[in-house]
Amino acid sequence: MKPATPSQTPASAPTVCLALAGGNALGAYAAGAVEALETAGVRFDVLSGASIGAVTAAIVAGNPPGQAGKALRAFWAQGSSGVAGTGWPWITTHPWPDLSMGLSPGLREMSSAAHAMQTLLFGRPGLFNPNHLSLLPSWPGLPRHMALFDARPVVQTLERVLDFERLHTHGPQLIVCAVDLETGEPVYFDSRRERITPLHLLASTALLPGFPPVEIDGRLLGDPGLSCNLPLDPLLQFRTGDRLCFAVDLFSSAGARPTTFDGALERAQDVIFGAQSARTLRAFRREQRLRHQLQQALGGASPAASEQERADGLEGPPGQVDVVMTAYRPSANEIGAKTLDFSAAALGERWSAGQRDMAAALAAQAAGQAEIDDLGFALYTGREAEPVAA
């Protein structure tokens, strides 16, 4: 299946989807991947995002076609800007390049650690501020705090880089994902059904204990990375027909064996979050195979859908689903606190890696070089195999 183009008729064109994972400062990798897709002329029908992935997806949906890359660069330039008056001028950064570029590996790790500490102490201008009161004991009479940061500063930045009105008029369908912190159930906010506001994005980025939960319609919501960091479910499940789904994960379950404490911390994050995506793909691949086998057993006719299946949108043929997926694999310069490293050098490297990996995945798809080619399902990565086989 080739990427949908304007020359295709609506009857022949697959639904083009994009799923973006959470990962705080690692989101620059997804921004680079999106820019590569934009350069290739890919246009999306549906986007889903979790945490920084929801922010990225909103920026894509809230800008005219061809303008997402520029808007994303403005957003990340804000995140990488230095903090004036910190007393640490040697770690003040400016959008690419910065002082940590060209350092030896050992010094580069020290610089990355300093940038992560800068984030903890001072936050990131225009994104979030530190909430040092959260470190105080919960003494009687004092206000209770449950998060290290206050994410409200990002609202003005978002309003500057995307048009929220466009999300409901001209933009593609946007699904912002969160999790109900009381029930543990996933929560999906759909721009085709309700107005997406900055509050919904704050809910999606509220990863405890870093950021405070957000209450919407009586539900206390948080970052869906607690249960599903790459929101493929709303794009793959409960849909019929041909689909072309691009997916950008910020954690890879496959990686090098750790040899240090910091390396162990980094590897644990990758496995915890990356394995979620692998399980989702395995489950969907089995589901697709079974649905196609059932259709074949019925002589090509679509099985009659139950009332619940019709409500879930499963009525109709399962179609062909192609997934073009990239996953960030950290460079040797990354540290265990990589999600807090907003240095211009780190963001620039991640951005370039996202561009490079997505270009390779697109080339693999164009050449028909599927990593997995199953009944009704194909996976293209353009790089070494991820552990998603059944």
Side-chain angles (χ1 to χ4, degrees), residues 38 72 81 111 184 187 236 253 258 289 294-295 311 334 350:
E38 185 177 72
L72 286 168
S81 61
S111 175
V187 178
L236 297 181
S253 56
R289 186 191 306 139
L294 180 57
Q295 187 178 37
E334 295 286 20
R350 295 164 190 161

Side-chain angles (χ1 to χ4, degrees), residues 179-199:
V179 65
D180 189 313
L181 293 175
E182 293 183 285
T183 66
E185 296 177 349
V187 178
Y188 303 130
F189 296 104
D190 190 332
S191 65
R192 292 293 181 264
R193 300 177 181 175
E194 56 202 315
R195 297 190 67 82
I196 303 298
T197 69
L199 192 63

Side-chain angles (χ1 to χ4, degrees), residues 32-44:
V34 167
E35 190 172 61
L37 290 169
E38 185 177 72
T39 300
V42 178
R43 299 289 180 263
F44 308 108

Side-chain angles (χ1 to χ4, degrees), residues 56-146:
T56 303
I59 293 175
V60 174
N63 278 277
Q67 297 299 310
K70 180 180 179 181
L72 286 168
R73 285 189 176 274
F75 176 84
W76 285 102
Q78 177 72 62
S80 68
S81 61
V83 180
T86 63
W88 295 356
W90 59 280
I91 64 170
T92 297
T93 63
H94 301 279
W96 308 290
D98 75 358
L99 297 178
S100 60
M101 301 187 77
L103 297 178
S104 66
L107 290 177
R108 177 61 187 277
E109 287 188 15
M110 292 175 61
S111 175
S112 296
H115 280 288
M117 181 61 69
Q118 179 191 26
T119 300
L120 281 172
L121 294 177
F122 304 107
R124 302 307 308 182
L127 299 186
F128 51 87
N129 292 329
N131 179 22
H132 297 307
L133 293 178
S134 64
L135 301 178
L136 295 177
S138 298
W139 290 332
L142 290 180
R144 293 175 179 262
H145 298 272
M146 65 175 82

Side-chain angles (χ1 to χ4, degrees), residues 150-236:
D150 176 5
R152 287 176 295 179
V154 78
V155 172
Q156 288 188 345
T157 300
L158 290 173
E159 291 174 340
R160 181 164 47 86
V161 299
L162 74 97
D163 181 359
F164 279 91
E165 186 61 31
R166 185 181 180 84
L167 299 180
H168 313 281
T169 55
H170 301 89
Q173 181 181 6
L174 172 66
I175 301 174
V176 175
C177 306
V179 65
D180 189 313
L181 293 175
E182 293 183 285
T183 66
E185 296 177 349
V187 178
Y188 303 130
F189 296 104
D190 190 332
S191 65
R192 292 293 181 264
R193 300 177 181 175
E194 56 202 315
R195 297 190 67 82
I196 303 298
T197 69
L199 192 63
H200 295 92
L201 299 179
L202 289 180
S204 187
T205 57
L207 181 63
L208 295 175
F211 299 93
V214 175
E215 184 172 340
I216 299 179
D217 297 330
R219 291 177 298 186
L220 192 66
L221 305 177
D223 192 313
L226 296 169
S227 58
C228 182
N229 196 52
L230 177 62
L232 288 164
D233 283 349
L235 303 181
L236 297 181

